[in-house]
Amino acid sequence: MSADRFVSPDDIRSLFAQAMSTMYRTEVPLYGTLVDLVAEINDAVLTADPALVEQLDRTDERARLDQERHGAIRVGTAEELATLGRLFAVMGMHPVGYYDLSVAGVPVHSTAFRPRTAKALAHNPFRVFTSLLRLELIEDAALRDEAARILAQRRIFTDTALALIAQAERDGGLDEADARRFVIESLETFRWHGDATVSLATYHALHDAHRLIADVVSFRGPHINHLTPRTLDIDAAQAAMLARGIDAKAVVEGPPPRRCPILLRQTSFKALQETVHFPAGDAADAGTHTARFGEIEQRGLALTPKGRALYDQLLAQARDSGGAGSTGQDYPTRLAAAFQAFPDDHDTLRREGLGYYRYALTDAGRGNPAAIGDLPAEALIDAGLASADPIVYEDFLPVSAAGIFQSNLGGEEQRAYAAHANRDAFEQALGMRVDDEFAIYERLQAESLAALRAA
């Protein structure tokens, strides 16, 4: 089959993201409320800020805003993780970043499958935060062995999905009919199933070890546990959730409110209590399971290693100033005070090398190419011949992710795991290397500078 008959991975990703959103809206009706709420807020922000509209148009972000989502999924075995990596590759999604959440009391390590190029991100930036359970962190050896036995018996992908993944790898792509079949079959892996595969007693034992362990091990599939729209004003979204009686978490995760947003801010509503049926001979014991929730995010400037080091330093300062890792009622005040040391205007952020920017000629620059010469980018910006727009942060923050997970696993859920970062083991399970996010942002910035010179 000729390659021009294949559907592009970007288009398959768009089909999958749309299908996932439709499915999740049915499974978790409050997700639809969040999507509508975010759309209202984004419209209000854009109406009030024409300069932001121009910026988003220049960087191709406005067109993607309404469709932008990220999902999260948790798997239990290396085989499941490796197959997910192959499945996402069909959609042009690749593992970026390594996250050790055990340092924050969550027994998983993770990556984000997402697009990597400017063109693919502009087409559809759908990303899935994917976590692998750390069975070795279960202290009870008998329970650890039981969990491994249960996970080894399940198959989370349909036979058709596996066949289509292999076909895409063999042929170099999928035609339209097969691409649509692939989306339908892949969706089954992410669907909620209310029938547990373990007894109620086993569920409680897993639950007592950690709620997330029960969530991963007790069901026949990993089920997506949230799907997140992107807002331009997360503080307005938080207030709107509370005004509508939605049980939002108390603290927005990430940096404080700023004129120049950086990295990622996230909030969520509390997880649903969903009815689960547990096998018990010929009958079934009905119980509840709490894991899936709604989340909203606001994405800002991608920081350089220098900027990220400053962010981590100030975040630790804010958390530690209220006691060990404290995020009590005064946390927003402490956070804002600590981040007064982080510059909050784009000229300073750019000139001090704290963030990544996309450079382009202005109308004046395109109309006067002779003036460009070998002038440094900053001189071109000062002369009005070039613009520099923030490159959006496409990735995640481990402390924030753990905070969201903990909030939705129950307020009392705390574990004190030692730091167990093991990128090599994660990549071995995945069967491929995890990309460095800083290298991707550096490349995007360098490509924009090269295009500026070429123009």
Side-chain angles (χ1 to χ4, degrees):
M1 179 181 295
S2 61
D4 59 359
R5 291 187 58 191
F6 292 145
V7 178
S8 77
D10 292 341
D11 286 335
I12 298 176
R13 183 172 66 257
S14 293
L15 287 172
F16 182 79
Q18 182 179 29
M20 179 83 80
S21 187
T22 300
M23 180 189 78
Y24 198 67
R25 186 185 287 259
T26 300
E27 292 183 347
V28 182
L30 265 180
Y31 163 72
T33 301
L34 290 192
V35 171
D36 294 340
L37 180 152
V38 166
E40 293 174 11
I41 291 171
N42 288 350
D43 286 345
V45 171
L46 293 172
T47 299
D49 194 345
L52 178 60
V53 173
E54 292 180 9
Q55 175 196 306
L56 296 179
D57 284 340
R58 282 195 302 269
T59 57
D60 296 322
E61 285 186 65
R62 189 178 183 190
R64 77 182 222 186
L65 187 61
D66 290 343
Q67 63 181 348
E68 184 160 354
R69 303 285 187 274
H70 94 249
I73 194 169
R74 306 156 181 161
V75 295
T77 69
E79 181 183 4
E80 290 176 352
L81 179 67
T83 305
L84 269 182
R86 295 171 59 211
L87 180 147
F88 286 131
V90 177
M91 307 183 218
M93 299 166 67
H94 309 277
V96 178
Y98 170 79
Y99 306 90
D100 172 31
L101 271 61
S102 68
V103 296
V106 181
V108 300
H109 49 182
S110 315
T111 192
F113 288 96
R114 68 168 181 87
R116 297 176 297 190
T117 67
K119 180 181 178 182
L121 287 164
H123 189 95
N124 189 305
F126 182 64
R127 54 187 84 80
V128 178
F129 189 81
T130 302
S131 300
L132 175 64
L133 179 63
R134 310 288 299 276
L135 284 175
E136 71 274 15
L137 298 184
I138 300 177
E139 294 180 358
D140 185 325
L143 184 63
R144 184 168 61 244
D145 291 343
E146 175 71 359
R149 183 192 64 78
I150 293 167
L151 290 169
Q153 293 179 335
R154 75 177 186 179
R155 295 293 179 266
I156 68 172
F157 304 97
T158 71
D159 290 341
T160 302
L162 293 173
L164 288 168
I165 291 170
Q167 178 182 320
E169 292 170 339
R170 181 188 67 242
D171 298 343
L174 298 173
D175 65 19
E176 183 172 354
D178 285 337
R180 293 188 179 278
R181 288 175 60 220
F182 169 80
V183 167
I184 292 170
E185 295 292 332
S186 297
L187 211 61
E188 293 304 308
T189 298
F190 297 80
R191 190 181 300 281
W192 167 254
H193 300 285
D195 294 323
T197 58
V198 302
S199 69
L200 187 59
T202 300
Y203 174 85
H204 281 311
L206 295 167
H207 183 281
D208 290 345
H210 196 290
R211 287 194 184 200
L212 186 142
I213 296 172
D215 183 56
V216 174
V217 176
S218 302
F219 300 91
R220 72 182 197 184
H223 53 254
I224 192 161
N225 53 68
H226 64 266
L227 201 59
T228 304
R230 176 184 169 191
T231 183
L232 296 172
D233 187 343
I234 200 164
D235 298 297
Q238 176 87 337
M241 279 201 291
L242 295 172
R244 297 188 187 197
I246 298 173
D247 190 11
K249 73 187 302 291
V251 176
V252 175
E253 298 286 347
R258 295 166 45 88
R259 291 191 304 274
C260 301
I262 58 173
L263 296 176
L264 177 66
R265 302 183 70 208
Q266 297 171 287
T267 188
S268 65
F269 66 69
K270 295 297 178 66
L272 306 176
Q273 276 205 340
E274 298 179 279
T275 300
V276 175
H277 295 283
F278 295 91
D282 294 330
D285 291 330
T288 59
H289 177 67
T290 306
R292 302 199 307 158
F293 55 92
E295 183 182 72
I296 296 174
E297 66 184 17
Q298 179 176 359
R299 292 187 172 269
L301 171 69
L303 299 183
T304 63
K306 178 182 177 181
R308 182 58 185 271
L310 179 58
Y311 170 83
D312 289 341
Q313 172 193 329
L314 298 177
L315 180 67
Q317 177 182 320
R319 294 172 73 87
D320 293 345
S321 64
S326 172
T327 55
Q329 288 186 345
D330 66 335
Y331 177 67
T333 301
R334 289 186 279 114
L335 188 67
F339 271 82
Q340 288 180 3
F342 204 111
D344 199 11
D345 66 275
H346 284 299
D347 285 343
T348 304
L349 289 166
R350 192 178 65 249
R351 288 169 177 159
E352 292 189 3
L354 297 173
Y356 291 105
Y357 289 82
R358 180 174 286 109
Y359 296 86
L361 292 179
T362 62
D363 289 340
R366 286 187 291 270
N368 189 12
I372 305 302
D374 294 325
L375 287 176
E378 288 301 321
L380 295 175
I381 292 170
D382 291 341
L385 300 173
S387 61
D389 293 310
I391 293 178
V392 67
Y393 184 65
E394 305 286 352
D395 297 291
F396 296 90
L397 302 171
V399 172
S400 296
I404 293 284
F405 281 7
Q406 292 285 23
S407 172
N408 288 286
L409 291 167
E412 75 282 0
E413 185 67 49
Q414 295 292 335
R415 294 290 186 274
Y417 299 113
H420 281 300
N422 194 339
R423 181 171 180 150
D424 289 342
F426 185 86
E427 290 180 333
Q428 183 176 2
L430 178 60
M432 65 184 86
R433 296 294 301 273
V434 171
D435 289 336
D436 176 66
E437 60 268 36
F438 292 111
I440 294 175
Y441 296 121
E442 185 70 38
R443 174 176 53 77
L444 292 174
Q445 178 173 277
E447 288 173 351
S448 74
L449 284 167
L452 182 149
R453 296 298 177 191

